[in-house]
Amino acid sequence: YMSLLENSASVENIKKNLSNLNLLREKMNNSSLFETSEFKKKIEVKNVQFNYGDIEIFKNLNIEILKNDKIEIKSPSGRGKSTLLDLIMGLIQPNSGSILIDGKKISQINYSKMFGYVTQETFLYKDTIENNIIMYRQNFSKDQIDKIINICCLDKMINNLENKLQYVLDEGGLNLSGGQRQRIGIARALISNPKILILDEATNSLDKELENEIFQNINSHFKDITIISVTHESKSLWSNRIIEIDENN
């Protein structure tokens, strides 16, 4: 719930995420769902077909993602990368086929504590850097916040600011660069210790050297985390698998 709300930026994203939030809220309030924050084995996309109206996006799509995989999903624009992420997180349902996490259908799982989700446009509030990372939750220690800042290579930037973590951002983070905003978005997702980190073109404002450094840090500090990232082109050193989506899936 929080990750969707936190990363709404454009009007289009807000409309989409409000719809997703309503679905997620229904799932969270449904006591018949299996609640878990654990991810033990694998995600399975099995024979999935998905249409937007009359437009077929996926037909008989089959993907298996293992725990601790570091996946890049690569395709040109408009081939369904973001749609695939929404399917994996259970925010939309396939027309046919199924999405399974550890053998359970995603529609039967309250997964709200499992995923960390970062979009291309992380929305930042007119507030301190610290509050933009922790999102007003008071259950994080200074050591936890400092650790995440270092992992996301924000320490030099923050230390150069007069008020450090208490530096107040402009609405939308307009007094930061695009890459700095994206790093704060990744820090916001990581501080809740997700089992699966979903990145929807969330590093496209970073140079490859910095991106690789951040992911090396993530791999060092989050030993069992599974990462699924979508991109137009892959030049990274951190992933162990690349999934390419073409017009034939």
Side-chain angles (χ1 to χ4, degrees):
Y1 179 94
M2 287 299 295
S3 64
L4 287 171
L5 180 63
E6 291 154 10
N7 289 294
S8 297
S10 65
V11 172
E12 292 77 11
N13 280 346
I14 290 170
K15 289 179 178 177
K16 173 185 172 184
N17 287 342
L18 283 174
S19 175
N20 290 343
L21 284 169
N22 288 332
L23 174 61
L24 185 52
R25 188 181 293 111
E26 290 176 9
K27 291 171 70 70
M28 292 171 69
N29 293 332
N30 188 342
S31 60
S32 67
L33 295 179
F34 178 75
E35 183 170 354
T36 182
S37 60
E38 295 301 315
F39 176 42
K40 297 179 180 179
K41 294 182 180 179
K42 61 184 176 180
I43 300 168
E44 297 172 276
V45 178
K46 300 184 72 172
N47 300 316
V48 162
Q49 178 174 339
F50 183 80
N51 299 339
Y52 273 127
D54 296 330
I55 302 173
E56 183 178 82
I57 306 299
F58 297 124
K59 181 179 180 181
N60 298 326
L61 180 65
N62 290 278
I63 296 173
E64 185 174 271
I65 298 172
L66 303 179
K67 179 179 179 178
N68 204 34
D69 263 347
K70 310 297 185 286
I71 301 287
E72 285 186 289
I73 300 173
K74 175 185 175 183
S75 79
S77 295
R79 291 290 169 82
K81 299 186 299 295
S82 296
T83 300
L84 177 57
L85 297 184
D86 288 345
L87 286 164
I88 288 172
M89 291 188 290
L91 299 175
I92 55 177
Q93 299 301 315
N95 296 95
S96 62
S98 56
I99 313 291
L100 307 175
I101 295 184
D102 292 338
K104 292 184 173 62
K105 287 186 177 181
I106 188 68
S107 58
Q108 299 171 343
I109 300 173
N110 183 345
Y111 51 82
S112 56
K113 298 178 181 178
M114 187 182 297
F115 291 106
Y117 175 48
V118 189
T119 65
Q120 180 178 348
E121 300 177 64
T122 295
F123 187 78
L124 301 178
Y125 298 92
K126 185 175 176 61
D127 207 329
T128 65
I129 291 176
E130 180 175 344
N131 282 336
N132 270 282
I133 292 174
I134 67 173
M135 288 303 294
Y136 311 103
R137 293 165 287 181
Q138 301 303 314
N139 55 324
F140 301 113
S141 68
K142 184 179 184 301
D143 286 345
Q144 286 176 297
I145 297 170
D146 288 344
K147 174 183 174 182
I148 292 298
I149 286 169
N150 290 331
I151 288 172
C152 295
C153 299
L154 286 163
D155 48 324
K156 290 181 181 179
M157 179 199 88
I158 290 172
N159 288 333
N160 285 331
L161 297 173
E162 182 178 355
N163 296 317
K164 307 296 192 286
L165 276 169
Q166 302 312 308
Y167 178 78
V168 176
L169 301 180
D170 291 342
E171 190 77 14
L174 296 180
N175 48 343
L176 298 180
S177 69
Q180 290 167 338
R181 291 194 295 270
Q182 288 189 332
R183 279 181 278 161
I184 289 176
I186 296 170
R188 181 187 286 172
L190 286 175
I191 201 164
S192 295
N193 193 26
K195 302 302 182 290
I196 303 169
L197 180 63
I198 303 284
L199 303 170
D200 192 352
E201 298 192 47
T203 60
N204 64 351
S205 293
L206 304 178
D207 63 62
K208 287 302 174 182
E209 183 178 351
L210 181 56
E211 178 186 338
N212 286 323
E213 182 179 355
I214 290 170
F215 281 107
Q216 287 169 6
N217 293 342
I218 292 172
N219 289 336
S220 296
H221 290 88
F222 295 85
K223 297 294 186 182
D224 295 325
I225 197 169
T226 301
I227 301 176
I228 306 170
S229 175
V230 301
T231 181
H232 288 296
E233 55 182 66
S234 174
K235 295 180 181 177
S236 71
L237 301 176
W238 58 266
S239 61
N240 68 310
R241 288 175 58 201
I242 296 174
I243 297 173
E244 293 199 45
I245 300 175
D246 59 22
E247 59 186 11
N248 299 311
N249 295 344

